[in-house]
Each structure stands twice: as structure tokens, then as C-alpha cells.
Amino acid sequence: MKLRSRITIGTLGFLLISLTLCCTLMIYVSKKNMLNSTTSYTKTELEKLVANFYTNKSDIESTVEELTAETKLKYYFFKQTQYSDSDTEYVLQCGDEIIYNDSGLDAPTILGLNEDKSNIEMQGETKSDIVHTEGADYYICGVDININDRIYQVCIVRDITELYRQIYRMIALCVGIGIVISLAAAVSMIVFLKKLLRPLEQLKDEADAISQGQYQRQIDVKGKDELASLSHSFNTMAKAVESHIAEVEETSEARNRLIHALSHEMRTPVTAICGYAYSLRNMKLTDAQKQEALKFMDIEAKRLGSLSGKLTALVGLTADKIELKDIELEELKKHLEMIWQGRDDIFLTVENGSIRGDKDMLVMLITNLCDNAKKAGATRIEVNITGNGISVKDNGRGISKEDMKHIFEIFYQGDASRNQEGFGLGLALCQRIAELHHSKLCVESSLQEGSIFSLQFSYNSLMT
């Protein structure tokens, strides 16, 4: 069952229960008030009637003759009842003798008035009951009175059929209103929930689309409620998934390029070593030819060793492998001058102060940039080190716009450098060192004018 259906059924169930309880309580209170009003009125009438008898009791009892006394009794009874409404009927009898009864009901017997004639204490106690008979409803109340040592039963019967009909109409009205309200609520809730839960259906559709590879899908939900927030979070997740998939695809493509380039770079020295080894083993060579073969084998073997070393350095450069600490620029200057002793193409400028970084990694970055400049035909290399960053400027052949897009890729070598010694790992290694120093290696270059490589140190984490 769908969420919308469950919410609709559950809410309607609670609504019906609430309506039923409210209607039941309302009908109960209304019925109780209406019956209390009727019974109070009827009992008041009975009290007036009995009070009239007792007020005139001395006059009735003073009559010696029994017939005359009973006539007086009837007189006072009719005098009190002549102004009653049409729904009120009266009963006066003595035991089985009916003196007056216009109700058609044996009210004293129904109420059980003075069933034990010898029990004087029961006399004067008002009794009442509601009777349903022959399609009509009656409220009966009565009492025993003692006049001339005779027990009379005085009862009032009030027709309350219309009152019950009103109650039944009220019940029917409540049921009808409840049904109408329930139907209206059901239709309203279906429409409202369909609109309210539409973002969830969109989420389902977009999730299905994303599962099929359509990562660019987005949900446009307006508002500031929880569903809008969920939709925004879903869009963020979709973008993150798309970005992650793009990174994975890019990494996979880079890995394929790496494997292809690595196999290409290793093929030349391995082929050379195998060729010279075959010649030494199977061909008759002069001593000079043997020495020349061994020399080339040694060169190619060192070339493979250099390739392995740079790959190891590049792969092994992680944040936990370096230690950033304060480095005096003067100390860094002396270290570089010692490395470049005898070179007249490098011009080093170092400011006073210090930087925060890994000395060996920074030396590797600077020397790689200088070596790269030399391979590009530079005759003048200017190295500038300040507390804010490092820059290396050369007057080499420069880098084309096409090559600029790939210079930091592993094993990439521009056309102009294919005839130079190297593997295309130097700049990738420099970029990784810059990243570990919370910076980025930037380059500006123009063909036949030279290049400028620079990185800026972060003030908060690197400068002192």
C-alpha cells in the first residue's frame, strides 16, 4: 500500500473516531439535558398536585360521608390538572379502583406504587420510569398519598415520543454530517497529499534515473518545508555522485594513460638492453664494441632505475610522509648554492626571513623546475624565494596552449621535449609537493619567450 493511501486511511480513521466520540458526547449531553428538563417539569407538576391535595386534606377529611369526601378529592384533582398541556396526562386511583385515568396506562402498577399496603413508610416516596410501548415513549412519575386512611396513587404520564424523535433526528443528522465530512475530508486529503507528496514521487523517479546513470537529473521543489529540504539534499547528493563518478572515470582514464605511458617509456630501455645482451651473447664483437654495448646497457639500466625512483617518489608523497616546520631562507639558499655549484645559468634571489614547509621537498621542487627549464633550452633561469612563495623564471622555448593543458599529467611530454632525456614526471612531482604545502603550482608561458612557474604559500598555515 502506498504511503499516501496509508496516511489517508489512518487520518480518516482518527477523524471518524473523533467525530463519533464528539457526536456521541453531544447526543448524550443533549439527551440528558432534554430528559432532565422534561422530568424536572413533570416532577414539579406532581409536587404541585400532591401539595394541593395536602393543602386541602383537612377539608376533604372533615367530610363525614365517604362519597362526598371522594367528590371533593376529585374536585381538587381536576382543579389542579385543568390547565395542563396536551402532552401531560393524569392518573388517580385507589388500589384497583380507577378514579381518573386519561393516559391509557396502568401507571401505578408500572411504578409499583405501594405494592405492600401495610408498609406505611413507602407512602410519600416518588417513583418514576420511562416506558416504551406501542410505538410511543412516556415518562411516568407517581406517589402514594394517605387521605382518610386510604392510600391513593397519584401519577403523571407525559408523552415524550417527540423528544425521542428529536434525539433520533439528531443522531441521523450527526451520522449524515459525519459521512459528508468524512467524504469531503477524504477527497481533500487525497488531493492535498498528492500535491504534498509529489516531491517524494519525484525523488523516486530521480533515484531510478540516477540508478540508470543519469546523474545530471535534479529536482525543482519550491518552499522551505522538510520535503523541500530533502529535495535540496537529494540534489546535493546527486551532484556529489555525479562529481564522484566523474572523478572515478577521470581517475580510471588517467590510470589507463599511466599504464600506456609506463609501458611505452619502459619499452625503449628494455628493448635496448635486450638487444645489446643478445649481441654480447650471440655475436662476435670486438672489445671496443663490447665496451660500447655495456656502456649503453648501463645507461638504459640507470634510466630504468631513475624511472622507478621518480615513480616511487611520486606515489609515496603523502601528507603523513612530510613534516612542515620553520625553514630559514638563508639556510635554504646555502643548500641550493651547494647543489648548483659551478652552474652559471641559474640566478638565485632569496629574501631574509623564514617559511614553513619541508626543506627536502622544496629543494626537490625547485631543482626539478630548474632541470625542466634547462631541458626546454633555457640559458637563464631566475629563482626567487620569499616568505610568500617561490618562482622560477626561464627564457626557454616556452609551452604551447595545447601542451599547457597536460603538463602536470604523469608521463606527458610536449613535442618540443621528446628528444630530451626524461619521463614527464618532474612537473607532476612538483605539483604534488605544492599540494602538500597547501598551495598550487601555477604557470605562465609563451612560445619562444620562456615560462614562469610559481606557488604562493598560505599565510595562515605556512608563514611565520
Side-chain angles (χ1 to χ4, degrees):
M1 184 181 294
K2 291 186 176 181
L3 177 62
R4 183 173 63 207
S5 301
R6 292 203 299 268
I7 294 177
T8 302
I9 293 174
T11 306
L12 285 177
F14 284 116
L15 178 62
L16 288 174
I17 292 173
S18 301
L19 284 174
T20 301
L21 291 176
C22 290
C23 291
T24 301
L25 180 62
M26 183 179 68
I27 293 171
Y28 171 78
V29 172
S30 299
K31 178 182 177 181
K32 184 176 181 181
N33 290 337
M34 293 169 70
L35 287 175
N36 284 342
S37 176
T38 300
T39 55
S40 297
Y41 173 80
T42 306
K43 286 182 178 179
T44 301
E45 289 296 311
L46 179 64
E47 290 173 358
K48 290 180 181 180
L49 182 60
V50 172
N52 183 60
F53 279 135
Y54 282 112
T55 300
N56 299 281
K57 182 178 182 181
S58 58
D59 181 40
I60 298 172
E61 291 181 344
S62 63
T63 305
V64 177
E65 296 181 5
E66 182 177 342
L67 181 60
T68 304
E70 187 171 307
T71 302
K72 287 185 177 181
L73 181 67
K74 291 180 180 180
Y75 168 76
Y76 290 117
F77 178 79
F78 288 118
K79 181 180 179 181
Q80 184 65 27
T81 62
Q82 63 181 336
Y83 301 109
S84 62
D85 56 56
S86 59
D87 291 331
T88 305
E89 298 166 339
Y90 297 88
V91 177
L92 176 64
Q93 66 184 57
C94 180
D96 296 331
E97 178 187 354
I98 299 175
I99 300 174
Y100 180 83
N101 187 345
D102 62 351
S103 67
L105 300 176
D106 188 1
T109 302
I110 294 174
L111 296 178
L113 289 174
N114 201 17
E115 293 177 350
D116 185 2
K117 304 300 181 182
S118 62
N119 190 354
I120 304 300
E121 293 180 358
M122 294 295 294
Q123 299 172 14
E125 180 184 357
T126 302
K127 294 183 179 181
S128 62
D129 195 7
I130 295 177
V131 178
H132 307 280
T133 178
E134 297 181 357
D137 302 284
Y138 301 94
Y139 175 72
I140 305 174
C141 65
V143 66
D144 290 318
I145 60 175
N146 187 345
I147 298 178
N148 280 336
D149 295 327
R150 295 189 68 186
I151 305 301
Y152 293 89
Q153 291 79 42
V154 181
C155 300
I156 295 180
V157 179
R158 187 169 183 82
D159 189 349
I160 57 174
T161 303
E162 183 59 29
L163 185 148
Y164 270 92
R165 287 175 181 171
Q166 292 180 13
I167 294 174
Y168 295 145
R169 284 196 293 268
M170 188 184 302
I171 293 174
L173 180 63
C174 288
V175 172
I177 292 175
I179 292 174
V180 172
I181 291 176
S182 299
L183 291 176
V187 173
S188 301
M189 286 184 61
I190 290 173
V191 175
F192 174 73
L193 288 175
K194 184 176 182 179
K195 181 177 180 181
L196 180 65
L197 299 179
R198 186 175 299 163
L200 290 180
E201 296 180 356
Q202 293 178 337
L203 282 174
K204 176 184 175 298
D205 295 339
E206 299 306 320
D208 292 339
I210 288 178
S211 66
Q212 296 174 4
Q214 302 178 29
Y215 305 109
Q216 74 282 358
R217 298 287 291 269
Q218 297 288 305
I219 302 176
D220 183 18
V221 178
K222 298 179 181 179
K224 298 182 179 180
D225 56 7
E226 290 81 357
L227 287 176
S229 177
L230 176 62
S231 299
H232 292 317
S233 298
F234 184 87
N235 289 338
T236 302
M237 181 196 70
K239 289 180 180 179
V241 170
E242 182 180 9
S243 176
H244 180 69
I245 293 298
E247 290 178 3
V248 170
E249 291 177 349
E250 184 178 351
T251 301
S252 177
E253 183 179 353
R255 184 175 299 151
N256 291 334
R257 290 198 305 268
L258 173 63
I259 294 173
H260 177 75
L262 180 61
S263 63
H264 175 77
E265 291 295 335
M266 293 182 65
R267 186 182 299 118
T268 300
V270 169
T271 301
I273 292 173
C274 291
Y276 286 118
Y278 179 83
S279 298
L280 288 173
R281 187 178 60 184
N282 297 299
M283 298 177 64
K284 292 181 179 181
L285 302 175
T286 64
D287 290 340
Q289 288 175 329
K290 290 180 180 180
Q291 290 300 320
E292 184 179 2
L294 290 173
K295 177 184 176 181
F296 279 110
M297 290 177 66
D298 181 61
I299 292 173
E300 296 301 329
K302 288 179 179 179
R303 180 176 169 83
L304 280 176
S306 176
L307 174 61
S308 174
K310 287 197 173 184
L311 278 175
T312 302
L314 183 61
V315 174
L317 275 182
T318 56
D320 59 340
K321 295 294 181 65
I322 70 170
E323 181 181 359
L324 302 181
K325 58 184 180 180
D326 293 338
I327 304 171
E328 294 295 331
L329 294 182
E330 185 63 29
E331 179 184 350
L332 182 60
K333 177 182 177 183
K334 291 179 181 180
H335 192 106
L336 291 171
E337 287 177 342
M338 182 179 65
I339 294 175
W340 293 329
Q341 188 174 6
R343 291 189 61 171
D344 57 359
D345 59 338
I346 298 178
F347 298 86
L348 177 61
T349 303
V350 180
E351 290 185 354
N352 293 326
S354 63
I355 58 175
R356 189 169 182 78
D358 187 293
K359 179 182 175 182
D360 294 333
M361 293 294 105
L362 292 178
V363 169
M364 183 184 296
L365 180 145
I366 296 170
T367 54
N368 269 282
L369 290 176
C370 291
D371 291 343
N372 194 68
K374 185 177 180 181
K375 293 175 184 178
T379 58
R380 180 180 178 83
I381 304 171
E382 298 177 8
V383 179
N384 185 25
I385 305 175
T386 68
N388 293 326
I390 299 172
S391 68
V392 177
K393 180 180 179 182
D394 67 70
N395 63 348
R397 63 177 60 90
I399 306 171
S400 68
K401 291 183 179 180
E402 182 64 29
D403 290 338
M404 190 78 74
K405 302 175 183 178
H406 308 285
I407 58 174
F408 296 116
E409 294 180 7
I410 298 174
F411 291 123
Y412 183 82
Q413 292 176 287
D415 292 338
S417 63
R418 289 294 183 186
N419 59 347
Q420 300 293 331
E421 180 183 358
F423 306 99
L425 295 173
L427 289 180
L429 187 60
C430 291
Q431 183 69 284
R432 181 56 181 157
I433 293 173
E435 291 173 355
L436 293 175
H437 283 78
H438 311 290
S439 183
K440 182 179 180 181
L441 190 60
C442 301
V443 58
E444 299 176 16
S445 183
S446 299
L447 286 174
Q448 308 307 322
E449 293 182 10
S451 305
I452 302 176
F453 288 86
S454 61
L455 71 154
Q456 298 295 320
F457 292 138
S458 170
Y459 178 83
N460 291 330
S461 61
L462 301 176
M463 286 191 62
T464 58

